[in-house]
Amino acid sequence: MSIEVYRDAYGVPHLRAADPAELAFAQGRVTAYDRAWQLEVERHRAQGTTAAFLGAAETGWDVFVRRARLADTARRCLARLAETDPETAEWVRAYADGVNDGLAEGARRAPEFAATGLEPGRWEAWTPLAVWLSTHILFAGFPTKLWREQVATGLGEEWTELFAADGPATAGSNGWLVAGERTASGAALVAGDPHRFIEAPGVYQQIRLACPAYDVVGLAVPGVPGLAHFGHTGPVAWAITNAMADYQDLYRERLRRTAGGGVEAYGPDGWRPAAAHTETVEVSGGEPVLVEVVETGRGPVITGDAPDGPGAEWEGLSLRYVPRVTGRLGFEVLPRLLAARTVAEVDSALDGWVEPVNVVLAADTEGGLLHRVAGHVPVRDRSNSLRPVPAWEPAHAWGPEPAPLPRAEVTDGHAVMANARGIAAPLGVEFAPPHRADRIAELLGASDAWTAEATAAVHRDTDNRAAARLLAAVEATGGEGAGGLSPAARRVRERLLAWDRRMDADSADAGLFAAVRGAVVRRLAAHEVFAGLREPGPYPELFRPWLYLGPRVGLALETLLVAGPVPAADVDRIVREALEETGAGEPPAVWGATHRLAPWQALPHPDDDRWPGLAGDHDCVLSTSSAPGYTDRSARASAARYVWDLADRERSGWIVPFGASGVAGDPHHEDQLPLWLRGELAPVTTDWNRLTKEQG
């Protein structure tokens, strides 16, 4: 093989090979060398075997993965890919072969293997597809349908969509495109940042992939070949955000045990056999867990414990998701994106995209622009998108063809995508509030000479438009008559009304706002009207982040202050009490003192206090989400930032929260963290002469 590996000043791998297959092998191998522990955790997560080395805390995830049949779905999708596009199937296999070739060497560098006793396993050709599935199976937030069911039963049918907001476990992103007419160079810029749960090592990998057929820089998902979401080939660049589409359904299943020990499910045609078998989840330090895996004509059953004995009946929920139904995951798109030279070629490639459903922006050096939705959204009754629906009613079946996908022209010289109710509105139910999208559009409108360097200022913006309604409620508490505020509470009120609404890490007023907001959220959640929502429903622990009342109140605070079942007089009282509580306590610290990074790690770092404070907030462009009223720690933020410059790729910039290496102690393990915290970008270097070639 003629594979060459180079590194830039931040340790980012730049790979050069003779053809796409060799390059895929090189990508797999270098990823295994840099991130062996991360890859093995992802492989085990994808096949439901993490509890075997991480312990009982991971059992819930493993049980879900087994019940949802993710590994089997990946095998099914690879088999179909091999039939319809054998060249791409071999390309994926080459990546897995590269992982296997580098995994032992990478594992020797990673202390986590010794700490857990984990031995590197073998990657199959279907493993990258399974990793993609496990990474995105909760992306569309189907557990939100469980929450709406809980609201309907615990509060009332009329309030089912009361809490609609960017859910606590969904993923969002910012993205924007500036056309050449609005840039200093005359060529377009594509920029943004995906908001995801922050993991260490990071969920995105900066990499360059070069062969005679193409030369692309971008952000890869470790464990998956190519550059699915963000890339710059030189002539064309693309980026995505979550479209917030609804494309997974939950069905209420009636199930029964047959005399022979099998399972039947009641569907539109009456009782029909369901596939059933038992699997064992091994648990480090605990007893194995037996899992009965049941699949009906709608999909795998993911909730409900089956009783024993012939004739026994029970209920459960089945999950219907597109790859399980179609046998397609859209991997044939990945090599076509790498080879794209124009917007038209990116557009054509994305016609085969499946999931997650994304809003895409792209631009090329010929002036082409693209703003469209890509993915597969089934056509079905709207009630399917709201709550679990009866499996036995034919009206809830999926149509034979997917929904048409919207697209839009780029007007006013720019386009913005930030999970708000935009071009993807016909495809979803809940979207992010418009604050980030509106703020980005406002900032972009302020100049006709944008550069890649200037664009980083948009990434850093901390203006908190979501604060407006709470501040209006604070202002309405003025007056010194009956029910007037104490002197201390009035001082809090005055400071908040004078605040510039920026969530800067060193801002004492931002910290004060967060303290008042938290007190309001806790009091609203404690209101008697929400008594029926105190306890999460009878669902697996894995889904609890979607089902807790307090975080839901925090995310829906703007709505609950002006609408909903809490009377206006009680809202006024709650805001007054929050001002009094804050005024009577110790002065809140600056925002960054409590709003600190909280990344997920398979093996938590022993010093959790080492993580730094953050600027931003959930609805700021600099989005750093927490759970107001319960914790200021931020588990979700920018998993990467990028600016693709179509005038000169070397003027582009990118950053990830930690570094290129997943190995603790490596010089590039966390060397990008200081830049990420400051909202700066590392340079994209494409001149091979300015890179360092690795030997061997």
Side-chain angles (χ1 to χ4, degrees), residues 107-247:
R108 286 193 292 270
R109 304 175 66 226
E112 294 92 345
F113 284 89
T116 59
L118 181 68
E119 293 290 333
R122 177 169 181 79
W123 280 54
E124 304 295 338
W126 54 265
T127 305
L129 287 80
V131 168
W132 187 263
L133 274 169
S134 68
T135 300
H136 296 103
I137 189 66
L138 297 176
F139 209 77
F142 70 80
T144 296
K145 297 179 183 183
L146 304 179
W147 168 251
R148 295 195 198 105
E149 185 81 1
Q150 194 166 302
V151 172
T153 56
L155 188 59
E157 289 278 350
E158 68 272 29
W159 303 115
T160 302
E161 297 181 62
L162 172 67
F163 293 87
D166 189 11
T170 58
S173 301
N174 296 321
W176 61 93
L177 180 155
V178 183
E181 66 198 69
R182 301 278 308 284
T183 69
S185 68
L189 296 168
V190 178
D193 58 314
H195 307 154
R196 302 182 71 143
F197 281 108
I198 300 299
E199 299 182 13
V203 299
Y204 283 112
Q205 171 197 28
Q206 300 149 302
I207 200 166
R208 181 186 186 183
L209 305 173
C211 65
Y214 48 75
D215 182 344
V216 192
V217 297
L219 299 166
V221 174
V224 178
L227 301 166
H229 287 158
F230 312 97
H232 192 335
T233 73
V236 67
W238 69 90
I240 62 94
T241 63
N242 184 357
M244 308 299 283
D246 180 80
Y247 49 90

Side-chain angles (χ1 to χ4, degrees), residues 247-248 320-328 354-355 376-378 398:
Y247 49 90
Q248 300 168 332
R320 190 168 180 82
Y321 60 102
V322 174
R324 188 71 188 162
V325 174
T326 65
R328 293 185 58 246
V354 176
E355 74 163 308
H376 184 122
V377 180
W398 285 10

Side-chain angles (χ1 to χ4, degrees), residues 273-334:
H277 68 277
T278 301
E279 298 184 13
T280 301
V281 173
E282 299 293 339
V283 181
S284 177
E287 293 297 318
V289 176
L290 294 180
V291 181
E292 185 172 31
V293 179
V294 177
E295 185 167 10
T296 75
R298 275 64 59 194
V301 176
I302 60 170
T303 74
D305 295 322
D308 292 325
E313 296 191 12
W314 73 99
E315 296 182 352
L317 292 173
S318 62
L319 172 64
R320 190 168 180 82
Y321 60 102
V322 174
R324 188 71 188 162
V325 174
T326 65
R328 293 185 58 246
L329 200 53
F331 265 43
E332 60 269 27
V333 172
L334 301 181

Side-chain angles (χ1 to χ4, degrees), residues 461-489:
D461 189 77
T462 60
D463 183 70
N464 189 358
R465 294 187 168 202
R469 283 188 179 169
L470 179 54
L471 292 176
V474 168
E475 186 172 19
T477 63
E480 299 185 19
L485 299 175
S486 69

Side-chain angles (χ1 to χ4, degrees), residues 48-67:
T49 53
T50 53
F53 65 99
L54 293 178
E58 300 302 319
T59 304
W61 171 262
D62 287 352
V63 169
F64 167 70
V65 167
R66 304 298 187 91
R67 283 178 160 178

